[in-house]
Amino acid sequence: MGSIDHGPSPPDAVRAQVAETFRAESARVIASVLRIVRDIDLAQEVVQGAFEQALDHWPVSGVPDRPGAWVLTTARHRALDHLRRARRAGARAEALAHHALGMTEPPPDVADPDEIPDDRLRLIFTCCHPALSADSRIALTLRLVGGLATAEIARGFLVPEPTIAQRLVRAKRTIRDGRFPYEVPEGAELSARLSAVLAVTYLIFNEGYAASSGSDLVRQDLCEEAIRLGRVLAELMPDEPEVHGLLALMELQAARAPARTDAGGNLVLLEDQDRRRWDRERIARGLAELERAGPITRAGAYQLQAAIAACHARAAYWEATDWTRIVEHYHALAAVAPSPVVELNRAVAIGLARGPAEGLAALDRIDASALRGYHLLPAARADFLRRLGRFGEAAAAYRQALRLAHNPREQAFLAARLAACEAAEGG
């Protein structure tokens, strides 16, 4: 359980340590208890009790040298005690407990936390089961794996707390009623399920990096949570190239976050950013993860997107960006993960590599109906038209983009560009 620093600790310090331990260790503890009790609600209840026990004991006995190990061992003891009580309660409960303990297999020794397997990967795959809706996967992953409170998740996605609570209840009910296996899939199913896990992680990151609503353009808390989940995945699945590709992508994109807004919180485009404000430590970590992902010739979608982000990270200034290489990466990305958004981004890269006229032509080849309601399509068209000096057409495209944008920061940027085009046209 870890040695104890004997002697009382100040209550405030203990509360802070318990909160820190919960955020850092709750996923592993819940995952470990879930292996025993096979019920998410019960696992959460048991783990909550272990943390409450820490709040009672640590002010008197002192904070353990290894707080996470203390909570893990305590929670597993509480889980086993629950099953023993259930066994005594009757034959039906005994059968349930017998099954939960792994048939005739004795429970693992809880005396040494280092001997307890890390079950977080099982927990992640359970939270991201394809039978759950995308919203439910996100909420459950943030709650169980990220350790976020329901209120924190609601604030992050700017929805009412009862909405998140209902999603969590529905997700857990679906898992329980569907008797989902609490396991990491194998073979072809692993690849299929891993894509859902990575997609959930990237959805969380994207909502933080380019907030779809609310007053802030970037919500750093969601970005950090997604990157933390990515690091857990990379630790638990070190041989999966796309795991490293996704982590590289998030690190490289997050490195630019400090320069994406000005002092007033307004949007600053990539070409106008002060690259001295980019986080060089994040860039180094991202490039290292991209290297771990392996050869680009066999890259998946996240690895290719990370390679594109790396082209930006390596450019000392805007004009030094290797747009030809970026276009090549987008060609490869369109082959492995075709989508209208990829086509849009490729068209923008073509315009920046070969000139706005070719970029405009590439945009014209995109099926606009597939991006109906997506403000970045008319925004890209407006920018190329502006660069070509066709200010009247650019203004019309900016108006369309402005009608479709929801984030106030983006709306302010588009309105300023619209006003500039109108002034240029009138002049």
Side-chain angles (χ1 to χ4, degrees):
M1 192 180 292
S3 61
I4 302 293
D5 293 324
H6 296 288
S9 300
D12 288 345
V14 169
R15 281 193 290 271
Q17 181 62 64
V18 170
E20 180 181 338
T21 303
F22 183 86
R23 178 57 62 90
E25 302 289 347
S26 63
R28 185 184 179 194
V29 180
I30 289 174
S32 183
V33 169
L34 189 54
R35 178 191 277 267
I36 298 173
V37 301
R38 301 285 172 162
D39 180 273
I40 293 176
D41 283 324
L42 180 55
Q44 288 183 282
E45 180 183 330
V46 167
V47 172
Q48 182 65 33
F51 278 99
E52 290 172 358
Q53 195 170 334
L55 283 171
D56 290 337
H57 284 242
W58 292 359
V60 177
S61 61
V63 175
D65 289 341
R66 299 165 60 205
W70 190 99
V71 173
L72 175 60
T73 300
T74 301
R76 287 179 64 88
H77 276 302
R78 293 175 70 94
L80 293 170
D81 286 344
H82 173 85
L83 291 184
R84 292 185 187 104
R85 289 195 301 271
R87 185 177 288 123
R88 290 194 296 268
R92 181 174 179 275
E94 179 178 357
L96 174 64
H98 184 66
H99 171 72
L101 286 171
M103 302 306 289
T104 57
E105 178 183 340
D109 182 11
V110 296
D112 185 358
D114 289 337
E115 298 300 318
I116 298 173
D118 191 335
D119 286 317
R120 284 177 298 173
L121 200 57
R122 293 172 182 259
L123 180 60
I124 291 171
F125 274 93
T126 301
C127 290
C128 296
H129 196 283
L132 300 175
S133 69
D135 286 345
S136 294
R137 293 178 204 169
I138 291 171
L140 199 60
T141 300
L142 288 174
R143 183 71 184 93
L144 298 183
V145 184
L148 273 65
T150 304
E152 289 179 293
I153 302 170
R155 283 197 301 272
F157 285 87
L158 303 178
V159 297
E161 186 174 344
T163 300
I164 295 298
Q166 290 168 4
R167 289 175 188 172
L168 291 169
V169 169
R170 284 197 299 268
K172 288 185 283 189
R173 183 187 300 130
T174 300
I175 290 172
R176 183 194 65 219
D177 295 347
R179 300 183 182 276
F180 293 175
Y182 175 56
E183 63 185 15
V184 178
E186 298 180 352
E189 187 183 355
L190 173 61
S191 298
R193 291 275 297 278
L194 178 59
S195 65
V197 171
L198 298 180
V200 165
T201 305
Y202 197 41
L203 280 170
I204 295 169
F205 178 83
N206 269 335
E207 183 56 34
Y209 188 71
S212 60
S213 57
S215 59
D216 295 328
L217 184 69
V218 178
R219 293 210 291 277
Q220 196 63 34
D221 55 340
L222 288 178
C223 291
E224 292 297 343
E225 190 57 44
I227 290 172
R228 192 167 73 85
L229 290 172
R231 288 175 184 151
V232 170
L233 285 170
E235 173 192 342
L236 298 175
M237 306 184 76
D239 298 325
E240 288 290 340
E242 279 288 76
V243 170
H244 295 288
L246 175 58
L247 182 53
L249 173 61
M250 293 190 296
E251 289 278 20
L252 291 169
Q253 287 184 325
R256 303 199 299 263
R260 290 187 69 227
T261 55
D262 61 18
N266 299 304
L267 173 65
V268 179
L269 292 184
L270 181 60
E271 63 184 289
D272 300 319
Q273 289 175 14
D274 180 356
R275 300 188 178 211
R276 293 171 297 181
R277 297 181 60 199
W278 288 3
D279 188 330
R280 294 296 157 183
E281 290 186 8
R282 280 200 187 279
I283 289 174
R285 289 198 297 267
L287 293 176
E289 288 297 329
L290 184 57
E291 183 70 21
R292 292 188 189 102
I296 198 68
T297 52
R298 298 197 301 271
Y302 292 111
Q303 191 178 347
L304 285 165
Q305 291 176 81
I308 292 167
C311 289
H312 293 300
R314 293 187 178 109
Y317 48 93
W318 172 255
E319 292 77 12
T321 307
D322 190 346
W323 288 108
T324 300
R325 177 64 60 84
I326 289 175
V327 170
E328 291 173 358
H329 288 325
Y330 271 121
H331 285 324
L333 182 59
V336 301
S339 79
V341 173
V342 170
E343 294 296 333
L344 171 58
N345 290 331
R346 177 166 63 175
V348 171
I350 288 171
L352 293 169
R354 305 171 190 168
E358 289 207 35
L360 203 57
L363 286 176
D364 288 338
R365 291 192 290 270
I366 296 174
D367 179 7
S369 65
L371 291 172
R372 185 180 295 110
Y374 191 54
H375 71 286
L376 293 181
L377 176 58
R381 183 180 301 281
D383 185 62
F384 286 143
L385 290 166
R386 180 184 63 86
R387 292 172 187 266
L388 289 168
R390 294 159 60 177
F391 298 113
E393 295 171 84
Y398 277 126
R399 289 189 196 99
Q400 183 184 1
L402 189 54
R403 286 194 299 270
L404 297 173
H406 298 291
N407 186 283
R409 302 295 183 179
E410 288 187 304
Q411 289 172 339
F413 173 83
L414 293 168
R417 281 289 170 91
L418 170 58
C421 285
E422 290 174 336
E425 182 188 17

